[in-house]
Amino acid sequence: MNSARGAGRALAALLLAASVLSAALLAPGSSLTPDLDRKRHVELKMDQALLLIHNELPGTNLTVSWSSERCYQCLLQVLVNVSWGGKAGKPSTAAVAVSTQHGSILQLNDTAQQRELCRLEYKFGEFGNYSLLVKHAHNGMGEITCDLVVNDKPVDSNLPVCIAFLVGLALIIVLCLLRFLLSLEDFQNWISKAISAQETDRLINSELGSPSRAGDPHPEAWRPSAAPLRLRCVDTFRGIALVLMVFVNYGGGRYWYFKHASWNGLTVADLVFPWFVFIMGTSIFLSMTSVLQRGGSRFRLLGRVAWRSFLLICMGIVIVNPNYCLGPLSWEKARIPGVLQRLGVTYFVVAVLELLFAKPVPEICASERSCCSLLDVTSSWPQWLFVLMLEGVWLALTFFLPVPGCPTGYLGPGGIGDLGKYPNCTGGAAGYIDRLLLGDSHLYQHPSPAVLYHTKVAYDPEGILGTINSILMAFLGVQAGKIFLYYKDQTKGVLIRFAAWCCFLGLISVALTKASENEGVIPVNKNLWSASYVTTLSSFAFLILLVLYPVVDVKGLWTGAPFFYPGMNSILVYVGHEVFANYFPFQWQLGDSQSHREHLVQNIAATALWVLIAYILYKKKVFWKI
Ligand SMILES: *[C@@H]1O[C@H](CO)[C@@H](O)[C@H](O)[C@H]1NC(C)=O
Ligand SMILES: *[C@@H]1O[C@H](CO)[C@@H](O)[C@H](O)[C@H]1NC(C)=O
Ligand SMILES: *[C@@H]1O[C@H](CO)[C@@H](O)[C@H](O)[C@H]1NC(C)=O
Ligand SMILES: *[C@@H]1O[C@H](CO)[C@@H](O)[C@H](O)[C@H]1NC(C)=O
Ligand SMILES: *[C@@H]1O[C@H](CO)[C@@H](O)[C@H](O)[C@H]1NC(C)=O
């Protein structure tokens, strides 16, 4: 596998080169997106357009209200009043900045009569200049027309993302070609090796459960011991989730689809955390089984699990309470929940569950038998019973817990959503439980619905109730680990089971959400970690394993570079990227702070830097284990 290793190294180097190159291409000064003179009338920010409203109705004052199409059942918010100037034929004008992230709904009323004159839906473009002409139609019927005119065309704000994507793609293609040309001989040897089924089986067998070979780097932090399990696809998947997480946490170029959804729905940013939880479940099972197989004591393992969870929670509390934005904090204001805290609790519950009920992996399943086909599920019935009971608790609390002042079973964002009827009900039971048990001031103060839905109450996306569903997510990851070990000799059996889980969970999601964003019984929601969010994301996770396992482990077509390296050092990269987020060179002074392009360059560079750091540490065999 030396050629593959070498190629991995080359791939890492070239991907870094790719990000540097795309950074250079997109760098400040190059004029891919024209800069606008935004100093007149209204100061336009990122994702805004200028709208000039011309009131040409004699004797009528206009009230213009606005809402985003993405804001589900929202009250319209008054944007501006355009009074009648007084002279006929001389319209009075108001200039406003409108959001361009999603489509806009505009309603124009007669201020005095509170009567709707016209209503329009339009998707404005970033930094565009538009005019809305409100006047009487020339047919003498007294009808009123609202015409939208484009004065200056908007810029294409997605262009930098496309360029970065194409540069990355081009470099990967070049790299594959290079690898192909340079090691043609190696490559052929290695193909013939990969095709031989016996060889494949031997590889997988020797890489599962066999004692660690000398010179093997120690595996990463999540594992309770220096376990010898080498499933590269697991580390690669973790690395993919982690790299995406670093990128979106650093801002993701300030694009809305790299930020968390306002309430219901999925964006790129919503994908990464559950995947991380899922793959943590898989690692827990793989490492724990190997420790137990080598005669490790369950009692000692329990102690280590408890200590590790405690450390994760403590580290998490330190990390979510930085002083640089809010000034020095005290215990009264410290946030308690957070990403590492949730990981710690999830880890504890799932690891203890497996520890209590773990059975030795049966050898009979090594050869396909029909009685074995569901053994990975049936042999862990006590765990399933416990997890399903927990899920029952989630459903019961979510849908039947009475919340003062709010409808029972409320799942909405509150604020101006649901026509403003429940402004303080953000998150229903989940929000209520956190506010009751932890207190407002110990929760996250800027939840994602605050902008679009104008919510006022504190709400924590990593709250107590959602942790139940993250346990379910990790447990589905454990299931993936069981499939790996129970059917380790039958690649086909593993892949069929992954595909089956992917479809099964996907169908549950479709049923729960009615294949819609907002209309389902349980919509997909990152803030609540709703049940459908878990089924959807674990369905995706099984799909990714379905692709990665044959490509990375069975055939060895891809080493997993460069994602493999951060995946091997996940704690270090996670803690490091949080702590050093505001340090140079992860962040620097931008020439134009309202430019997606400059933010994107900065965020890609910072992410690439963390990949590079992870690579160097991997080479030096430095792994942060807790
Ligand atoms: C617009 O006019 C209405 C009615 O006169 C008033 O209540 C409201 O505050 C005004 N809004 C703005 C943004 O000026
Ligand atoms: C329109 O607004 C102006 C100034 O806000 C006010 O003086 C005028 O009386 C209003 N006209 C009507 C018809 O409401
Ligand atoms: C505009 O008119 C509609 C119906 O004509 C009314 O329901 C709404 O409250 C009005 N909005 C404002 C801001 O006056
Ligand atoms: C927008 O267009 C209008 C009409 O062409 C023009 O008068 C105004 O100066 C433009 N505003 C900006 C900020 O470019
Ligand atoms: C919501 O909370 C705010 C501040 O906490 C309070 O002023 C307001 O009255 C509350 N609204 C309702 C409907 O309870």
Side-chain angles (χ1 to χ4, degrees), residues 279-298:
I279 213 67
M280 179 181 77
T282 309
S283 309
I284 288 175
F285 180 74
L286 294 179
S287 58
M288 201 164 273
T289 306
S290 107
V291 172
L292 292 178
Q293 269 174 356
R294 281 180 291 139
S297 132
R298 283 187 193 220

Side-chain angles (χ1 to χ4, degrees), residues 37-42 50 52 129-131 151-152:
D37 174 15
R38 280 182 252 106
K39 295 280 175 223
R40 267 175 270 167
H41 297 313
V42 179
L50 183 69
L52 304 167
N129 179 348
Y130 302 84
S131 282
N151 302 325
D152 287 330

Side-chain angles (χ1 to χ4, degrees), residues 182-235:
L182 289 182
S183 58
L184 213 52
E185 210 174 277
D186 275 357
F187 193 72
Q188 277 165 355
N189 285 339
W190 166 75
I191 281 264
S192 57
K193 251 194 339 195
I195 286 174
S196 140
Q198 279 169 343
E199 177 67 9
T200 311
D201 284 350
R202 191 194 61 74
L203 266 177
I204 297 169
N205 281 326
S206 71
E207 299 203 344
L208 287 172
S210 67
S212 184
R213 276 159 288 163
D216 241 22
H218 283 295
E220 76 335 65
W222 294 116
R223 295 185 181 161
S225 78
L229 303 172
R230 290 258 62 86
L231 266 176
R232 261 185 120 82
C233 66
V234 170
D235 293 317

Side-chain angles (χ1 to χ4, degrees), residues 63 65 78 107 109 114-116:
T63 300
S65 311
V78 174
Q107 184 195 46
N109 276 19
Q114 299 235 324
R115 184 170 56 95
E116 185 175 306

Side-chain angles (χ1 to χ4, degrees), residues 270-513:
D270 298 328
L271 303 175
V272 290
F273 186 25
W275 282 350
F276 203 69
V277 170
F278 181 92
I279 213 67
M280 179 181 77
T282 309
S283 309
I284 288 175
F285 180 74
L286 294 179
S287 58
M288 201 164 273
T289 306
S290 107
V291 172
L292 292 178
Q293 269 174 356
R294 281 180 291 139
S297 132
R298 283 187 193 220
F299 191 69
R300 271 195 59 191
L301 210 51
L302 189 69
R304 295 182 67 169
V305 165
W307 174 242
R308 183 164 290 121
S309 312
F310 174 73
L311 278 184
L312 273 174
I313 293 170
C314 291
M315 264 164 39
I317 289 180
V318 172
I319 283 177
V320 296
N321 289 301
N323 277 335
Y324 48 75
C325 43
L326 296 169
L329 292 170
S330 62
W331 285 115
E332 285 87 67
K333 288 248 171 115
R335 181 182 168 199
I336 296 173
V339 168
L340 286 182
Q341 292 90 312
R342 173 167 284 188
L343 279 177
V345 174
T346 307
Y347 173 77
F348 182 78
V349 175
V350 174
V352 167
L353 201 59
E354 278 306 311
L355 209 53
L356 289 181
F357 298 111
K359 294 202 190 97
V361 176
E363 287 302 317
I364 39 162
C365 283
S367 58
E368 181 80 71
R369 296 247 184 90
S370 55
C371 69
C372 262
S373 58
L374 279 176
L375 202 66
D376 54 319
V377 180
T378 51
S379 72
S380 43
W381 66 267
Q383 292 99 307
W384 272 110
L385 201 65
F386 180 82
V387 170
L388 290 179
M389 263 165 48
L390 267 187
E391 195 52 31
V393 172
W394 186 84
L395 287 170
L397 285 177
T398 302
F399 286 102
F400 300 111
L401 183 77
V403 179
C406 303
T408 304
Y410 183 69
L411 291 174
I416 60 167
D418 297 291
L419 303 174
K421 280 184 281 186
Y422 320 114
N424 294 348
C425 293
T426 307
Y432 175 66
I433 290 174
D434 288 342
R435 289 192 285 275
L436 195 71
L437 296 183
L438 302 173
D440 275 49
S441 51
H442 293 297
L443 301 178
Y444 190 47
Q445 302 296 320
H446 314 283
S448 60
V451 178
L452 203 54
Y453 288 97
H454 299 264
T455 62
K456 297 281 185 285
V457 292
Y459 178 82
D460 208 301
E462 269 85 46
I464 295 169
L465 202 52
T467 305
I468 291 182
N469 280 340
S470 77
I471 290 169
L472 173 65
M473 186 88 201
F475 192 67
L476 288 165
V478 168
Q479 206 55 48
K482 284 188 176 151
I483 293 172
F484 275 131
L485 285 198
Y486 277 54
Y487 309 101
K488 61 188 173 200
D489 290 345
Q490 329 153 18
T491 307
K492 214 175 104 195
V494 171
L495 296 185
I496 287 175
R497 277 172 184 85
F498 283 168
W501 273 107
C502 173
C503 296
F504 174 63
L505 292 164
L507 285 177
I508 295 183
S509 309
V510 170
L512 288 179
T513 60

Side-chain angles (χ1 to χ4, degrees), residues 15-54:
L15 268 178
L16 192 78
S19 46
V20 172
L21 196 74
S22 59
L25 269 176
L26 297 165
S30 76
S31 53
L32 284 167
T33 42
D35 277 327
L36 287 182
D37 174 15
R38 280 182 252 106
K39 295 280 175 223
R40 267 175 270 167
H41 297 313
V42 179
E43 190 92 18
L44 282 190
K45 297 215 177 71
M46 169 184 285
D47 292 325
Q48 284 187 334
L50 183 69
L51 177 62
L52 304 167
I53 303 161
H54 303 264

